[in-house]
Amino acid sequence: MSRRDHLAQLREAAPVILPSLLLCDFANLEREVERLLAAGVKALHLDVMDGIFVPNISYGMPIVAAFRKLTDLPLDVHLMIEKPQDYIRQFHEAGADVMTIHAEAVDDVASILREIKSLGAGAGVAINPDTPLETIVDALPEADLALMMSVNAGFGGQKFNPVALDKIREVRRLAPDLLIEIDGGVNLDTIGRCTEAGADLLVVGSAIFGKPDYVTAVRELNSAAAAAS
């Protein structure tokens, strides 16, 4: 199976919960993957932050490669970094199945999306809550995925911004077949609004990793997402 085949699988399975691994126990990666597999998750989300585009630093290619060794699940890599085009090939070699770049970090979104697809990976474009959707409309034909941030990338402790829901509805109107993802503040209180608006992929952090039982947490999230979709 090619990496791009994962896109069709995710589209068919939507709505899909993607655990945000930034909050996992990095001292026990294998155990964390086993717990997530037992919970039935279908893909994993990795946030790469460089301390430049966003104020925090997370991890890079070695962690992506470590997860690649632990699972065959699709790895959805969110590049919250400056000049992502300089690192696309390295992340692909590390095992990324989907790479999403931020429109705010690049001058020519479409050309970088084409470069990602030329490697055989899924290509995504993300925008922060304050970034107008018009910024990426022209690039959507080159994208496999559009990520609407419901918090500002790289900042913790923010409230869910419903402006992302309006953007999801508009993207769904403009590009009916595009995978749409939402990230930031997605939990039991907000997930139904996300799928009702048209989100396919739902990035979830503390609503999974902040719970003692991942199986129960994921089941409850899936139920709430499906009920509103």
Side-chain angles (χ1 to χ4, degrees), residues 40-208:
V41 303
K42 301 183 186 304
L44 303 176
H45 183 86
L46 291 95
D47 288 309
V48 176
M49 298 186 282
D50 63 358
I52 301 171
F53 176 66
V54 294
N56 293 317
I57 297 174
S58 59
Y59 46 70
M61 284 76 78
I63 292 295
V64 175
F67 278 106
R68 180 75 294 153
K69 291 177 181 178
L70 293 172
T71 180
D72 292 328
L73 287 177
L75 299 183
D76 174 37
V77 179
H78 181 188
L79 297 174
M80 292 180 272
I81 62 176
E82 291 283 351
K83 298 182 179 179
Q85 63 271 23
D86 292 347
Y87 304 97
I88 286 168
R89 187 169 296 276
Q90 294 97 312
F91 277 106
H92 179 261
E93 292 172 353
D97 295 295
V98 180
M99 286 177 274
T100 297
I101 62 170
H102 265 266
E104 301 92 348
V106 301
D107 294 325
D108 188 347
V109 174
S111 68
I112 301 173
L113 295 176
R114 286 192 292 269
E115 183 178 353
I116 293 171
K117 291 194 292 185
S118 75
L119 296 174
V125 57
I127 53 173
N128 283 317
D130 292 338
T131 301
L133 184 60
E134 291 73 20
T135 304
I136 62 168
V137 167
D138 289 344
L140 290 180
E142 298 293 344
D144 298 302
L145 178 154
L147 169 55
M148 302 296 108
M149 295 295 296
S150 41
V151 300
N152 288 310
F155 294 85
Q158 300 172 80
K159 292 184 179 180
F160 180 90
N161 189 334
V163 71
L165 302 178
D166 295 331
K167 291 178 179 178
I168 288 171
R169 294 185 186 98
E170 182 62 11
V171 172
R172 179 60 69 217
R173 185 186 70 81
L174 294 169
D177 296 328
L178 194 66
L179 275 170
I180 302 178
E181 186 171 31
I182 187 165
D183 184 356
V186 178
N187 53 40
L188 280 176
D189 293 329
T190 58
I191 197 166
R193 296 159 65 193
C194 298
T195 54
E196 184 179 25
D200 302 299
L201 308 178
L202 307 136
V203 178
V204 179
S206 59
I208 294 175

Side-chain angles (χ1 to χ4, degrees), residues 6-34:
H6 290 303
L7 297 167
Q9 290 185 330
L10 292 174
R11 185 178 290 108
E12 184 176 346
V16 177
I17 307 295
L18 278 71
S20 176
L21 297 172
L22 191 63
L23 296 180
C24 78
D25 181 358
F26 282 92
N28 295 282
L29 293 187
E30 186 170 6
R31 185 185 67 183
E32 290 284 63
V33 169
E34 290 173 352

